[in-house]
Amino acid sequence: MDLLKVAEDAFKTESKEKPSFGAGDTISVSYKIREGNKERIQIFRGVVIQIKGTGSTKMVTVRKMSGNQGVERIFPVESPFIESIEVNRRGKVRRKRIYYLRERTGKKARIKEKRRM
């Protein structure tokens, strides 16, 4: 028996439903920010560049353009600070890690939308 798996199951808290998404998808991550004794929810909307890890160690890197500057943020999917994850649009990409998006700007940085049949 794997001891790491036993320990993870023992400390697992009830997690909220997370939608399935992959690289190239545009998602909105609502997460809690604590400022002093106040708490607020901020939404980070961007393209998923990569998904790393499995289970409770799953991490998602999301990239958005803020003005003319690219901003990337890494979110642990099972974090208690994440309120919800919403998939805005599905992207059609051929790779799991789309780092090439970092060098591209403007129309070259667009990702085709996946067609639903």
Side-chain angles (χ1 to χ4, degrees), residues 17-100:
E17 269 306 305
K18 305 285 191 266
S20 64
F21 53 88
D25 295 351
T26 304
I27 63 170
S28 296
V29 182
S30 305
Y31 61 98
K32 294 179 195 165
I33 292 182
R34 201 173 274 140
E35 293 169 336
N37 57 357
K38 286 191 279 183
E39 217 176 66
R40 65 183 176 93
I41 293 175
Q42 190 172 35
I43 297 173
F44 191 93
R45 182 174 186 204
V47 177
V48 177
I49 285 189
Q50 73 166 341
I51 298 175
K52 213 179 209 176
T54 56
S56 63
T57 60
K58 191 174 186 180
M59 310 279 256
V60 176
T61 305
V62 183
R63 179 181 175 84
K64 75 171 183 177
M65 292 303 288
S66 182
N68 232 2
Q69 195 73 32
V71 179
E72 287 184 16
R73 182 135 187 205
I74 301 169
F75 294 101
V77 175
E78 295 299 323
S79 170
F81 293 108
I82 290 185
E83 194 71 27
S84 66
I85 297 176
E86 181 187 327
V87 179
N88 300 106
R89 55 186 290 207
R90 304 251 177 218
K92 184 180 178 187
V93 291
R94 295 165 67 176
R95 304 166 182 240
K96 286 249 181 225
R97 307 211 162 146
I98 50 177
Y99 298 133
Y100 62 84

